[in-house]
Amino acid sequence: MKYNILFGGKAGQGANILTHLLAESLVEEGYYVFYYRDYQSLIRGGHGFNVLTFSDKPVHSHDSKVDVIVALDKNTVDKHQKNLKKGGVLIEGKDANMYFAGRMFKALGLPLKLLDKRLKKMKRYGENIKDVQRGYEYQSTVNSQQSMVLNIPKVQKAKRTFSSGSVGVAEGAVKSGIDNYFAYPMTPATAVLGELAQRQKEYGHLVLELENEIAVANAGAGSAITGAKTMVGTSGGGFCLMTEALSMCGISKIPLVFYLAQRAGPASGVATYNAQADLHMARHAGHGEFPRLVLAPGDPVEAQEITSQIFYLTQKFGVPGILISDKHLAESYYTTEHKPVITKVGHLTKFGRYTSYEQDPTTGSGTEDADVIIANVNERKKRWDALRAECEKFEGYKIYGKKNSKNCIVFWGSPKGAILDAIKGMDVCAIQILYVEPFPKKVGTILKKKDKIVAVENNATGQLCDVIREHTGMLIKDKILRYDARPFLCDELVKKFGRIFK
Amino acid sequence: MKAKKTQTADSKPQTANINTATPMTWCPGCYNFQILAGVKNYFSSELKKGKSKEDFAICSGIGCQGKIFDYINLNGLNTLHGRELPTSLGIKMGNPNLDVYAFIGDGGCFNEGVSHLVHAARENVDITCIVHNNQVFALTVGQPTGLTEQGFVDKTTPEGVTVKPFNPLKLVLSANATFVARVFADVKQVEWVLNEAKKHKGFKFIEIIQPCIIFHPDVGYKDYVHEIPKSHDVTDFYKAMKLIDDWDYNGIKKGDKINTGIFYKVKRETILDKHWQLKGLVKDKKQWKDRK
Ligand SMILES: Cc1ncc(C[n+]2csc(CCOP(=O)(O)OP(=O)(O)O)c2C)c(N)n1
Ligand code: SF4
């Protein structure tokens, strides 16, 4: 059993809170829930929609065809009716979002108390609960057909977490003992800024918004050399402004964590939409040659784990680390069962004399001496090797599906959800790369045993394929690339995989 | 990376422990030597009074002035060109118990990094900002900065600079700085102003007139220097503006007065006062790593 419900309306009408309340209630009832947010870069009006998918089995993605459309405006009907399945239900009308919440709770047979207790924590409880009741009663009167579709089977209750990739990064950071987080707002990185800001009271770290990303990255470097565990966050455009400081971290052994949440680019691109097109930037940003980390989680649990690993590795090796996410992972909500494994690290960095110049280690000053330069470069190369060796101890890649199948999918980051949901029952394995830099050694050996390899990426060129070629010499020709700034959907991938892996 | 203690043969006992073995590469006669001597005297006397080297952090950028980092054996970061202020802010946020000094060129402060200056002043970040103003990008061999006078000619501007400089102190004051001072690059004046700045809480902005004897024509600054009269009310914003306005940086004309001393000094909450996390670290004299 799996249902997709689409909520659509103008920005400001409250489709988000409606989606979130329903999602949380379904999770509490024991269902697995995922929802995707699709919204424009505007504050009021326009068109935005969310797709909530729930099931009695784990689900991490949504589909293009939906069972129910909840339309808060006429535009939603016009735009999405073509995606409504045969026999699907359209719930529409000119009313408040909480009226629709009432209707959905009735249609899904959910106990109202789940909604009531959440509304009590929000503003305007009185008004909201009235709207809910009106909707609930109305839904009781409409024809049975509407409720039949949604006559969902009851499931066993279970304690699960419901969170986004941004929540994962923030939780991972506080569990790693973050001291300072600096940022300048930029979608889709801003959610981490908010999540960390809200956790200051509880955990005692500091969140500061500075004048621009250049300030953010340089302040990050300044903070990190004193020994404070420090992270900075941004999206592609802001990251471009940070790259000179990234390079400084590279030469001066500064353990700064960069959170890079990708959106569709280039330049200002498509501000609130998704892409995975900044992998090469993350790998190559900053002038000169220096060791770095580029780590890519694919769901909120991995976001926590990888965030803790990047704090550990940057502290231990005095290197900058880039934690690369994207809009889809950062802003979609996932039901998670597994407790993340957090890698702990102390404050390993000692304050001393740091410089953006090549450094004479006897004075801490800059140097132009050829022998010292060679020694420094060799030291960086040695540290790079040590970092590579240490990274092999972590799960730099994961294999899903039929592990021994000759058919293979390779991917990184947020496509994970749709891929895992799509390959169920197929004769295929899926390999996820979490450590892009340093790249896990064993991946080449595994890939060489496969007959058919298909890469799935949210970009136009297949950047992971380039990375794999660089490290293994293997040329991956078959690619499913999506570059319309939208994430992969489960039902669409099922069709595509079906054609390729018969 | 921990700084190694360095000993040099010529170190005077007074400043021995903050010397480095790094050879100095400023031009003979450069006014930066005056600044360095003043700064070292100041730190040495602080150390004598019981402060430890670990109480201080220094930050400089790129340019002739930036080399000062190499000549003072204190912890810190010789950061990127123009990023001295955010880097210093980061050091302060990383350990609010450190006394942080940022050394910046006029190019770094008012060209490359001017956005940072405005915000550091507005936020009243608890650091001492020392600008070596030689009205030129010296280390890149003498191109004009935003503070260079109209008509200035170099290899890259054969027709001469077409516009007037802006007045940096007016900018700093307008950005709500709480401490604004100017001195000439002279050992005694530098030591004096650092001791004055020490008494103030918040963002301390110090401009040092540091003529570049190679790339900027000597317009005889010294003859135009006037000490701000003792009677000046340092809390009066408009009087401060007026004193600042006595020189427009556009060369030197008859009647110009390069006033030196403290123009402005007022109390205001600093960035440390605004964040309970930092206040806590200061109160308990703790670092982040010491918190539970
Ligand atoms: C980002 C960047 N741009 C340009 C440079 C080249 N550069 C080195 S020093 C300098 C000028 C420094 O001028 P100023 O800050 O006034 O210091 P001065 O040399 O006059 O003391 C420039 C532009 C650089 N190092 N970094
Ligand atoms: S070029 Fe000017 S500022 Fe630089 S060292 Fe020489 S005199 Fe000093």
Side-chain angles (χ1 to χ4, degrees):
Chain A
M1 157 243 158
K2 175 163 101 168
Y3 287 107
N4 285 275
I5 308 171
L6 186 146
F7 301 88
K10 294 182 191 48
Q13 280 191 310
N16 281 341
I17 186 69
L18 170 58
T19 312
H20 197 77
L21 289 174
L22 190 66
E24 281 192 338
S25 305
L26 282 164
V27 174
E28 194 176 334
E29 276 294 274
Y31 297 96
Y32 292 87
V33 183
F34 168 88
Y35 77 78
Y36 160 71
R37 291 183 59 202
D38 189 305
Y39 63 98
Q40 298 172 290
S41 186
L42 48 74
I43 308 304
R44 289 282 182 272
H47 174 67
F49 69 93
N50 304 326
V51 182
L52 183 159
T53 309
F54 71 99
S55 171
D56 52 351
K57 290 182 205 69
V59 64
H60 326 85
S61 62
H62 62 297
D63 296 298
S64 63
K65 295 281 177 231
V66 301
D67 303 278
V68 183
I69 293 177
V70 179
L72 272 63
D73 66 350
K74 176 76 172 45
N75 197 16
T76 300
V77 183
D78 298 342
K79 275 200 141 82
H80 298 284
Q81 200 152 30
K82 63 177 189 302
N83 297 85
L84 191 60
K85 284 183 192 163
K86 254 209 184 108
V89 175
L90 175 65
I91 293 184
E92 60 176 327
K94 281 201 186 106
D95 218 311
N97 59 345
M98 286 306 134
Y99 165 81
F100 291 103
R103 288 189 64 176
M104 286 312 295
F105 266 69
K106 177 68 194 164
L108 298 173
L110 290 173
L112 261 190
K113 65 172 196 292
L114 294 179
L115 183 56
D116 189 69
K117 71 173 182 194
R118 291 185 164 82
L119 289 180
K120 278 201 174 113
K121 289 188 203 143
M122 293 163 42
K123 281 186 206 148
R124 302 194 310 169
Y125 171 74
E127 264 173 73
N128 282 339
I129 199 70
K130 263 190 213 142
D131 288 340
V132 166
Q133 273 151 1
R134 220 160 27 77
Y136 197 84
E137 274 151 32
Y138 178 81
Q139 190 67 19
S140 322
T141 66
V142 296
N143 65 40
S144 55
Q145 200 202 349
Q146 280 201 345
S147 294
M148 253 172 59
V149 176
L150 301 169
N151 210 345
I152 57 174
K154 281 263 172 289
V155 289
Q156 274 231 288
K157 284 196 185 177
K159 260 224 164 333
R160 296 192 184 105
T161 315
F162 191 56
S163 69
S164 64
S166 302
V167 171
V169 171
E171 281 291 314
V174 293
K175 287 175 188 168
S176 304
I178 189 174
D179 299 312
N180 281 321
Y181 184 72
F182 304 134
Y184 182 86
M186 187 168 188
T187 306
T190 313
V192 165
L193 176 59
E195 294 293 343
L196 279 172
Q198 281 157 33
R199 284 167 175 74
Q200 287 177 104
K201 280 250 155 64
E202 191 181 340
Y203 291 92
H205 58 277
L206 176 71
V207 173
L208 271 191
E209 288 180 61
L210 301 179
E211 61 268 20
N212 56 41
E213 289 88 345
I214 298 178
V216 164
N218 284 279
S223 168
I225 60 167
T226 67
K229 290 186 197 167
T230 309
M231 180 160 82
V232 296
T234 185
S235 187
F239 188 77
C240 288
L241 298 179
M242 294 185 174
T243 54
E244 194 190 12
L246 170 73
S247 179
M248 175 166 72
C249 294
I251 197 171
S252 343
K253 304 186 196 165
I254 302 180
L256 182 58
V257 178
F258 293 78
Y259 168 59
L260 166 59
Q262 301 162 97
R263 65 196 219 183
S268 304
V270 199
T272 56
Y273 286 84
N274 194 56
Q276 292 185 289
D278 299 340
L279 189 62
H280 286 336
M281 173 173 75
R283 293 172 65 226
H284 299 292
H287 51 296
E289 300 167 307
F290 55 88
R292 77 179 75 199
L293 291 150
V294 180
L295 308 189
D299 64 37
V301 172
E302 286 173 358
Q304 284 205 42
E305 296 178 337
I306 294 279
T307 303
S308 75
Q309 290 163 21
I310 208 163
F311 270 100
Y312 167 82
L313 291 164
T314 50
Q315 282 291 324
K316 185 152 184 198
F317 293 92
V319 293
I322 300 159
L323 176 66
I324 188 166
S325 177
D326 61 42
K327 188 265 165 190
H328 189 53
L329 172 56
E331 298 192 356
S332 301
Y333 269 77
Y334 302 69
T335 313
T336 56
E337 296 185 275
H338 310 293
K339 263 204 141 167
V341 181
I342 299 295
T343 307
K344 294 264 183 198
V345 67
H347 288 78
L348 303 183
T349 310
K350 299 264 180 306
F351 193 36
R353 280 171 66 74
Y354 290 78
T355 170
S356 61
Y357 284 113
E358 203 65 78
Q359 188 178 47
D360 177 346
T362 61
T363 56
S365 306
T367 185
E368 288 155 353
D369 185 282
D371 292 332
V372 179
I373 295 166
I374 291 174
N376 284 359
V377 174
N378 287 340
E379 187 277 334
R380 282 200 281 280
K381 283 169 75 177
K382 235 175 101 181
R383 207 150 29 88
W384 210 329
D385 288 339
L387 176 66
R388 279 189 197 107
E390 183 79 7
C391 287
E392 289 294 331
K393 296 180 190 160
F394 292 92
E395 263 189 305
Y397 66 94
K398 293 181 185 176
I399 310 182
Y400 308 91
K402 294 208 168 65
K403 298 206 163 110
N404 296 321
S405 172
K406 288 283 167 196
N407 296 325
C408 175
I409 292 161
V410 286
F411 69 94
W412 62 288
S414 73
K416 177 177 180 177
I419 291 171
L420 294 202
D421 288 346
I423 62 169
K424 276 178 198 152
M426 287 186 191
D427 176 19
V428 64
C429 72
I431 300 183
Q432 176 192 11
I433 306 297
L434 293 99
Y435 278 51
V436 180
E437 175 64 47
F439 190 78
K441 275 197 202 125
K442 286 196 198 106
V443 171
T445 329
I446 298 167
L447 287 180
K448 279 176 187 144
K449 289 186 196 139
K450 306 294 176 192
D451 291 339
K452 186 155 197 74
I453 303 172
V454 179
V456 180
E457 297 189 58
N458 252 153
N459 57 47
T461 56
Q463 297 191 14
L464 181 66
C465 299
D466 299 336
V467 178
I468 290 173
R469 181 124 213 239
E470 190 180 311
H471 290 280
T472 68
M474 293 178 72
L475 178 63
I476 297 174
K477 288 201 208 102
D478 295 315
K479 299 170 192 165
I480 299 177
L481 303 175
R482 179 159 195 168
Y483 45 89
D484 60 354
R486 271 71 182 166
F488 289 103
L489 307 182
C490 178
D491 54 356
E492 290 174 0
L493 278 185
V494 167
K495 271 191 214 144
K496 289 201 164 125
F497 291 161
R499 277 198 293 271
I500 301 170
F501 312 111
K502 268 177 275 275
Chain B
M1 146 112 22
K2 246 207 154 139
K4 284 202 182 147
K5 281 201 181 133
T6 54
Q7 236 84 54
T8 52
D10 62 332
S11 26
K12 292 188 201 99
Q14 190 200 12
T15 54
N17 54 354
I18 53 166
N19 284 346
T20 69
T22 311
M24 296 190 196
T25 57
W26 285 320
C27 305
C30 173
Y31 280 94
N32 277 316
F33 284 109
Q34 294 278 327
I35 299 176
L36 174 65
V39 170
K40 275 187 168 180
N41 283 351
Y42 165 74
F43 281 131
S44 300
S45 74
E46 287 296 293
L47 294 176
K48 264 195 190 161
K49 282 183 222 155
K51 284 266 165 73
S52 96
K53 276 172 71 175
E54 279 64 43
D55 295 329
F56 298 106
I58 55 171
C59 178
S60 78
I62 309 304
C64 292
Q65 110 300 135
K67 297 180 178 188
I68 200 166
F69 179 85
D70 288 356
Y71 310 146
I72 305 175
N73 194 6
L74 288 174
N75 293 337
L77 172 54
N78 186 349
T79 190
L80 301 165
H81 178 47
R83 312 305 167 201
E84 301 84 346
L85 290 176
T87 306
S88 298
L89 171 126
I91 293 173
K92 192 75 186 170
M93 302 298 103
N95 181 356
N97 290 302
L98 287 170
D99 191 4
V100 186
Y101 294 80
F103 300 91
I104 324 180
D106 55 300
C109 193
F110 295 105
N111 280 48
E112 189 77 289
V114 66
S115 60
H116 308 309
L117 174 70
V118 176
H119 292 274
R122 182 178 78 100
E123 293 274 10
N124 209 15
V125 181
D126 310 61
I127 55 178
T128 306
C129 167
I130 300 140
V131 175
H132 304 218
N133 184 7
N134 56 13
Q135 294 187 274
V136 80
F137 292 121
L139 192 61
T140 47
V141 300
Q143 301 80 8
T145 70
L147 305 188
T148 308
E149 66 279 7
Q150 197 168 19
F152 173 93
V153 173
D154 81 308
K155 277 190 189 151
T156 65
T157 43
E159 311 277 315
V161 173
T162 55
V163 288
K164 283 186 184 164
F166 66 92
N167 187 321
L169 295 190
K170 279 177 153 179
L171 176 73
V172 181
L173 202 56
S174 309
N176 292 348
T178 54
F179 181 98
V180 182
R182 178 199 280 149
V183 293
F184 190 78
D186 161 88
V187 193
K188 288 252 144 54
Q189 290 190 38
V190 171
E191 201 181 336
W192 170 81
V193 78
L194 289 173
N195 275 302
E196 287 301 313
K198 188 180 79 182
K199 297 179 212 156
H200 180 74
K201 259 182 68 164
F203 185 67
K204 297 159 258 203
F205 184 88
I206 300 167
E207 179 197 18
I208 305 181
I209 303 294
Q210 176 248 314
C212 170
I213 56 179
I214 305 291
F215 294 117
H216 198 264
D218 187 0
V219 289
Y221 298 96
K222 249 185 177 158
D223 304 338
Y224 291 82
V225 166
H226 287 254
E227 248 181 68
I228 296 171
K230 290 237 157 28
S231 57
H232 169 60
D233 176 3
V234 292
T235 63
D236 189 324
F237 181 89
Y238 294 99
K239 292 227 171 84
M241 269 295 183
K242 201 148 179 306
L243 284 173
I244 287 169
D245 225 6
D246 283 348
W247 181 43
D248 66 1
Y249 294 77
N250 195 24
I252 289 277
K253 294 170 291 300
K254 233 180 129 183
D256 276 353
K257 274 196 206 166
I258 304 180
N259 294 313
T260 57
I262 299 166
F263 293 97
Y264 192 63
K265 186 176 145 177
V266 290
K267 277 193 187 144
R268 199 174 77 228
E269 279 196 314
T270 75
I271 195 165
L272 292 188
D273 299 323
K274 301 243 169 76
H275 299 279
W276 56 268
Q277 300 95 320
L278 301 172
K279 259 164 92 174
L281 294 176
V282 172
K283 192 173 138 266
D284 305 337
K285 296 214 162 39
K286 285 213 162 120
Q287 293 191 36
W288 284 107
K289 66 174 160 56
D290 306 322
R291 93 194 144 106
K292 273 153 253 132

